[in-house]
Amino acid sequence: MKVPFVDLRSMHLAIKDELQEVFDRVLSNSSFVLGEEVQRFEQEFADYVGTRHCVAVNTGTAALHLTLASLEIGPGDEIITVPHTFIATAEAISAVGARPVFIDIDPISFTMDPALLEAAITDKTRAIIPVDLYGQIADMERIQEIADRYGIPIIEDACQAHGAEYKGRMAGSFGLAGCFSFYPGKNLGACGEGGAVTTNDAELARKIRLWRDHGSSKRYEHVFPGLNMRMEGLQGGILSVKLKYLDHWNDQRRIAAAQYDAALAGTDIETPVEMNYNRHVYHLYVVQSAKRQQLREQLIESGIESGLHYPTPLHLQEAYRSLGYKQGDFPVTERIKDRILSLPMYPGICSDAITRVVSELKEGCYVG
Ligand SMILES: *Cc1c(COP(=O)(O)O)cnc(C)c1O
């Protein structure tokens, strides 16, 4: 029995008729870019997250980029984020010409360590971007308390946390803005690329709308040179359909995580910790082991896919060599990079598959 890392097909097959209707509708109304499909999704997603506004864009990277651009952040400015994330978080900072300033993560939650935040703030700090990694929201209350004292806005990278909750509040509702990706493999994914910004700030939402569409609110009238980062109508329609199932799919991920937790209890494989203030949505199920490499090989041999998120921290990437960081700068990030292993996780993963994965892992613990 092969076990894939992610299986999107069964999820889509279950709602194939509804998705087909969207394709048919968009083909017949030719609302291919923005338009009513996207507007409807924006309203529904804002309601879901609990913010007044949602602006749909074409990727999660664009959501972050246009939020920073709308705040007029640029060269000479510093943005604090973490080195243990997907590179897009930092790329958005680079895209506006600002400088990413990294601080380490907490070893239990894998998210920004609030205890390290204050020391990283300078008079050039213009924003803080905590990342809701693997499906769990960063410790927002503690981060917000420090950010407020310095009057620095928080931009939440919620690209891995659609539907997660922190003390009863939804991912994407913290700070000034929440940024989402709808890349197909995310908890809420399009059938292609997609992204969105959620915010309560009407002026920020207005500016991002201009930015995504050539600085234009009226055809061929441009108030500044913007970009083309619009969401496609098809993706808006598909996301409206899939949003209705998000909570159900997240519940399935939580059930799978609970099965992994129980089956791995008592082994020397460390399972992920759901912080007591969070409702984790397990975008990824990431375990830790000193024998990571061995376990990964054992899984490969048995036809089980796994992932590494992420094998090289951002401060050690060639892309960010010019920032001048070196090995040893972020001990928690550097320690876990050789220990983490992402196990198969997707809505509807069957319990037999999980049993298989765990028995191979246990096998792997004893060899070598
Ligand atoms: C996926 C992701 C992004 C970028 O999203 P894209 O839609 O691929 O551009 C940004 N940050 C994090 C943490 C992500 O996981």
Side-chain angles (χ1 to χ4, degrees):
M1 180 196 197
K2 286 196 188 311
V3 184
F5 183 59
V6 177
D7 176 16
L8 303 177
R9 203 180 32 179
S10 58
M11 191 173 37
H12 288 145
L13 272 179
I15 56 168
K16 186 162 178 277
D17 292 346
E18 282 184 274
L19 295 178
Q20 192 63 55
E21 269 174 43
V22 175
F23 280 93
D24 293 345
R25 195 168 63 231
V26 173
L27 263 187
S28 72
N29 68 17
S30 297
S31 191
F32 291 118
V33 178
L34 295 177
E36 62 190 79
E37 303 283 342
V38 172
Q39 260 170 32
R40 186 182 324 117
F41 172 67
E42 287 178 333
Q43 188 55 56
E44 290 167 353
F45 198 61
D47 290 347
Y48 179 82
V49 170
T51 53
R52 277 198 284 279
H53 311 277
C54 168
V55 185
V57 292
N58 61 345
T59 63
T61 310
L64 290 159
H65 176 172
L66 297 193
T67 301
L68 294 170
S70 297
L71 295 173
E72 289 169 35
I73 288 168
D77 295 334
E78 294 177 353
I79 310 296
I80 299 173
T81 190
V82 288
H84 185 66
T85 177
F86 181 55
I87 192 169
T89 314
E91 277 175 322
I93 299 167
S94 308
V96 296
R99 179 187 175 86
V101 172
F102 298 123
I103 60 173
D104 213 345
I105 54 167
D106 173 86
I108 309 294
S109 67
F110 298 119
T111 59
M112 179 178 280
D113 186 346
L116 303 172
L117 180 56
E118 194 157 6
I121 294 174
T122 72
D123 54 8
K124 294 181 183 157
T125 308
R126 294 285 317 279
I128 298 163
I129 310 186
V131 180
D132 301 339
L133 203 73
Y134 302 157
Q136 174 148 259
I137 300 176
D139 194 351
M140 287 299 181
E141 247 173 38
R142 290 179 62 201
I143 294 169
Q144 187 83 59
E145 187 271 317
I146 298 163
D148 284 351
R149 252 193 289 130
Y150 289 86
I152 300 168
I154 292 174
I155 299 166
E156 180 187 1
D157 183 338
C159 289
Q160 300 191 2
H162 320 66
E165 288 172 35
Y166 174 98
K167 300 187 180 177
R169 258 175 79 182
M170 300 297 285
S173 71
F174 294 88
L176 179 63
C179 295
F180 288 91
S181 163
F182 305 117
Y183 182 76
K186 306 284 172 154
N187 287 40
L188 178 61
C191 293
E193 305 269 8
V197 181
T198 49
T199 181
N200 287 318
D201 189 311
E203 179 55 16
L204 179 65
R206 189 185 70 84
K207 280 199 187 144
I208 297 171
R209 282 181 201 285
L210 290 171
W211 261 107
R212 74 173 171 184
D213 195 14
H214 304 288
S216 165
S217 58
K218 211 167 133 212
R219 199 156 223 190
Y220 304 127
E221 299 293 331
H222 308 274
V223 292
F224 60 81
L227 289 162
N228 175 1
M229 292 185 171
R230 300 173 298 220
M231 179 178 275
E232 295 183 353
L234 191 59
Q235 306 310 338
I238 284 164
L239 287 165
S240 280
V241 169
K242 291 181 73 175
L243 179 58
K244 292 183 296 180
Y245 299 95
L246 176 59
D247 287 341
H248 171 62
W249 287 329
N250 280 342
D251 286 343
Q252 290 187 327
R253 288 175 185 270
R254 289 178 56 82
I255 289 167
Q259 194 190 333
Y260 272 127
D261 287 347
L264 288 167
T267 69
D268 58 6
I269 295 170
E270 288 170 42
T271 54
V273 177
E274 178 177 43
M275 305 304 283
N276 59 14
Y277 47 72
N278 265 336
R279 184 175 189 275
H280 202 315
V281 292
Y282 297 97
H283 170 58
L284 295 167
Y285 186 87
V286 180
V287 298
Q288 287 188 71
S289 166
K291 299 180 191 155
R292 192 272 306 280
Q293 216 41 40
Q294 201 171 304
L295 295 177
R296 187 160 158 82
E297 279 155 26
Q298 175 79 21
L299 293 181
I300 290 170
E301 244 171 64
S302 349
I304 296 167
E305 293 177 356
S306 61
L308 301 179
H309 300 88
Y310 295 87
T312 306
L314 298 186
H315 70 288
L316 301 177
Q317 293 279 355
E318 189 180 344
Y320 282 119
R321 198 156 47 190
S322 66
L323 294 178
Y325 289 108
K326 57 184 189 316
Q327 189 93 33
D329 283 345
F330 304 108
V332 178
T333 291
E334 290 172 28
R335 185 178 121 84
I336 66 161
K337 80 173 169 48
D338 299 318
R339 295 172 50 87
I340 44 176
L341 183 64
S342 310
L343 303 182
M345 170 57 79
Y346 48 88
I349 184 172
C350 65
S351 77
D352 287 354
I354 293 175
T355 306
R356 264 287 324 275
V357 175
V358 171
S359 82
E360 292 301 335
L361 284 174
K362 286 181 175 166
E363 192 103 331
C365 281
Y366 300 112
V367 293

